[in-house]
């Protein structure tokens, strides 16, 4: 069967493929893009179609220095396919589209649609206009037209969901281009957020992750400095909601009322992702980060006092312009003191359009690489030591879908502990579905996962597992590629390298 035959096999229905790069916000935006296309009558192309869909959408990221090279390389790969397939369309959206606008069509004239971060809801209309007018449509809105959560969404997990509570960011970090592309922070009304959460729980979701570029600054746009802690407490009152997470917070806005809400709300999980970026006050000042080492370590100390078993993860940039060996040693000091469960470490790369890209003191690649390797080695050691402390503990795991690459060969299943650690466990005799909850005893620790090699102590079938089973039954009755469910990554897995707006991937 040819690619054309495959794409038109569902009774002439046009197929689509969405390729996503970057942060969780982009992942969630892609769910909406998929929902919009399915609402317009498109059908998702089968896995592995590799550009054989009738519509291929790139949801781009502008964070890395070579982001544009990656995009144009992928567009070039599709050019001959498009030339041989009349009617095929290519669309480019996301942060790089917001930044480069007209450049995309000039460099890749076979692109049909370019849209930005503020008007993703226009994609189906722009595709149809490009088809009718037979020319590229470039439409970039300068500000948010409607909060994205009002758009149809195609979610892919029956048990976990993203819930966006804000978009944009009011910070001015010198290494980050996100505020220029996503705009100033705009908060959703708390009632709208809770209504979405209750609707998701009604569909079987048992875990949600509150999402924002600077999630704990929530409330700045609506004039309530304690809005985020109030929202966490309100989540605790949603019947049937078992797990609540959030990403990514900023140390500047991490206040005592948030720590209290985390500790006192049973379904808020003992997990915190707190971006450090650097342990040096000098570098933090150059980054235009509004906290210093003492403030950061103070937050960690307070969280550990209130939530003793909390797993704390972070982001760290190595080789920021002007970073000295002494500055780097300060970062290593904070890593030793904070004892992160995991750190997402990045070598600094220039982001076009950011102040840091023009700063003096750019660090030679060789120096950055050497520091990076020392940091990774230290964090690996700490991660392993912290994971060894979990051996002997009895934990409740939410069974996950697709997170254990070797599960088939090892006859194991995988799940997430309350603190989001990944645990591989022995497959029980009775049926266990993604979204169900099992109780296990941890027997072995590796730096990035835990094992429960004994028999499962308990299995609790859940409404989330029921929802997963129902979704799969419905999927079998639909044309290939159609899947209507909820996000696979309400549980960040384990936490994507690129977080809200202050990570660097």
């Amino acid at each position: 069967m040819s690619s054309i035959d495959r794409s038109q096999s569902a009774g002439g229905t046009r197929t689509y493929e969405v390729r996503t790069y970057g942060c969780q916000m982009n992942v969630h935006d892609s769910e909406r893009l998929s929902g919009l296309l399915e609402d317009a009558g498109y059908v998702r192309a089968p896995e592995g179609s590799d550009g054989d869909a009738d519509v291929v959408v790139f949801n781009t990221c502008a964070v890395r220095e070579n982001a544009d090279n990656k995009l144009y390389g992928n567009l070039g790969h599709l050019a001959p396919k498009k030339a041989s397939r009349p009617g095929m369309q290519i669309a480019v959206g996301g942060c790089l589209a917001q930044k480069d606008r007209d450049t995309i069509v000039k460099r890749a004239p076979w692109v049909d649609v370019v849209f930005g971060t503020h008007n993703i809801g226009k994609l189906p209309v722009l595709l149809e206009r490009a088809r009718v007018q037979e020319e590229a449509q470039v439409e970039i809105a300068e500000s948010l037209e409607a909060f994205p959560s009002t758009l149809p969404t195609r979610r892919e997990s029956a048990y976990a969901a993203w819930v966006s509570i804000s978009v944009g960011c009011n910070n001015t970090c010198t290494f980050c281009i996100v505020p220029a592309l996503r705009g100033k922070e705009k908060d959703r009304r708390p009632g709208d957020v809770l209504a979405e959460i209750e609707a998701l729980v009604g569909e079987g979701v048992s875990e949600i992750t509150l999402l924002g570029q600077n999630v704990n600054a929530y409330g700045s746009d609506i004039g309530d400095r304690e809005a985020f802690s109030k929202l966490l407490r309100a989540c605790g009152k949603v019947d049937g909601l078992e797990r609540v997470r959030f990403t990514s917070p900023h140390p500047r806005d991490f206040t005592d009322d948030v720590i209290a809400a985390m500790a006192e709300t049973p379904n808020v999980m003992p997990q915190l992702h707190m971006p450090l970026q650097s342990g040096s006050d000098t570098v933090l000042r150059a980054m235009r980060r509004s906290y210093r080492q003492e403030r950061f370590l103070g937050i960690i100390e307070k969280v550990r006092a209130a939530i003793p078993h909390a797993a704390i993860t972070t982001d760290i940039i190595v080789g920021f312009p002007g970073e000295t060996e002494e500055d780097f040693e300060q970062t290593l000091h904070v890593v030793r003191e904070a004892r992160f469960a995991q750190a997402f470490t990045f070598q600094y790369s220039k982001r076009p359009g950011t102040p840091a890209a023009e700063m003096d003191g750019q660090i030679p690649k060789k120096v950055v690489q050497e520091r990076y390797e020392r940091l990774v080695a230290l964090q690996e050691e700490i991660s392993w030591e912290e994971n060894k402390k979990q051996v002997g503990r009895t934990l409740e795991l939410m069974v996950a879908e697709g997170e254990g690459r070797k599960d088939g060969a090892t006859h194991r299943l995988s799940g997430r502990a309350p603190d989001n650690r990944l645990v591989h466990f022995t497959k029980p005799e009775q049926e266990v579905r993604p979204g169900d909850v099992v109780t296990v005893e941890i027997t072995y620790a590796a730096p990035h996962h835990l094992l429960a090699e004994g028999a499962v102590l308990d299995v609790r079938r859940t409404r989330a597992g029921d929802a997963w089973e129902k979704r799969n039954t419905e999927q079998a009755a639909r044309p290939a590629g159609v899947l209507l469910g909820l996000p696979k990554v309400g549980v960040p897995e384990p936490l994507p390298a690129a977080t809200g707006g202050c990570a660097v991937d």
Side-chain angles (χ1 to χ4, degrees), residues 466-478 483:
D466 294 341
W468 180 89
E469 188 172 353
K470 178 182 177 183
R471 185 205 69 182
N472 276 24
T473 301
E474 291 177 349
Q475 179 188 359
R478 298 179 189 273
L483 176 61

Side-chain angles (χ1 to χ4, degrees), residues 317-496:
I317 300 172
V318 177
F320 188 81
E323 180 189 74
T324 64
E325 178 62 24
E326 183 180 351
D327 292 325
F328 178 67
E329 287 291 342
Q330 288 299 306
T331 294
L332 297 180
H333 169 71
V334 174
V335 169
R336 293 187 187 100
E337 291 293 311
R339 299 196 65 79
F340 300 113
Q342 192 168 5
F344 300 93
T345 53
F346 308 91
Q347 297 184 35
Y348 172 77
S349 65
K350 291 183 179 180
R351 295 166 183 76
T354 63
E358 306 301 324
M359 285 183 177
D360 295 332
Q362 301 288 328
I363 310 298
K365 171 68 176 175
K366 183 178 180 180
V367 174
V368 177
Q369 181 68 34
E370 188 272 337
R371 290 176 184 171
Y372 175 80
E373 290 173 0
R374 285 159 57 196
L375 173 61
V376 168
L378 173 62
Q379 183 56 52
E380 286 275 304
E381 178 184 333
I382 292 172
S383 294
W384 200 356
E385 290 173 356
E386 292 301 305
N387 274 0
K388 286 177 181 177
K389 295 177 182 178
Q390 304 299 310
V391 174
R393 291 189 66 195
T394 298
L395 300 175
E396 272 198 339
L397 312 179
M398 183 174 290
V399 182
E401 182 174 26
E403 293 209 51
R405 294 190 302 272
K406 299 180 181 179
D407 282 352
T410 58
H411 304 291
R412 293 176 178 142
L413 297 176
S414 299
R416 291 281 174 178
D419 65 9
N420 210 34
R421 282 183 165 93
L422 178 64
V423 182
H424 305 301
F425 61 94
T426 302
K427 188 174 183 179
E429 291 186 6
Q430 70 187 97
E431 180 189 19
V432 178
R433 308 160 301 179
D436 286 339
V437 174
V438 299
T439 304
V440 302
E441 181 179 335
I442 303 303
T443 59
Y444 175 82
H448 301 293
H449 68 268
L450 303 171
L451 292 182
E453 299 164 300
V456 169
L457 303 178
D458 184 59
V459 174
R460 176 163 61 86
R461 292 172 70 86
T462 66
R463 291 171 60 252
D466 294 341
W468 180 89
E469 188 172 353
K470 178 182 177 183
R471 185 205 69 182
N472 276 24
T473 301
E474 291 177 349
Q475 179 188 359
R478 298 179 189 273
V482 177
L483 176 61
L484 300 174
L486 301 160
K488 179 180 179 181
V489 230
V491 277
E493 37 167 301
L495 244 188

Side-chain angles (χ1 to χ4, degrees), residues 35 52 79 103 118 145 197 236 240 282 341 365 424 470:
D52 282 344
T103 305
H118 300 307
E145 296 182 346
I197 292 171
T282 301
K365 171 68 176 175
H424 305 301
K470 178 182 177 183

Side-chain angles (χ1 to χ4, degrees), residues 168-196:
C169 180
N170 293 337
N171 292 320
T172 57
C173 301
T174 55
F175 57 79
C176 185
I177 199 169
V178 168
L181 303 179
R182 291 278 183 177
K184 293 292 186 181
E185 180 177 329
K186 185 172 180 59
D187 297 332
R188 293 177 71 190
R189 292 172 51 191
D192 292 341
V193 174
L194 290 169
E196 181 179 356

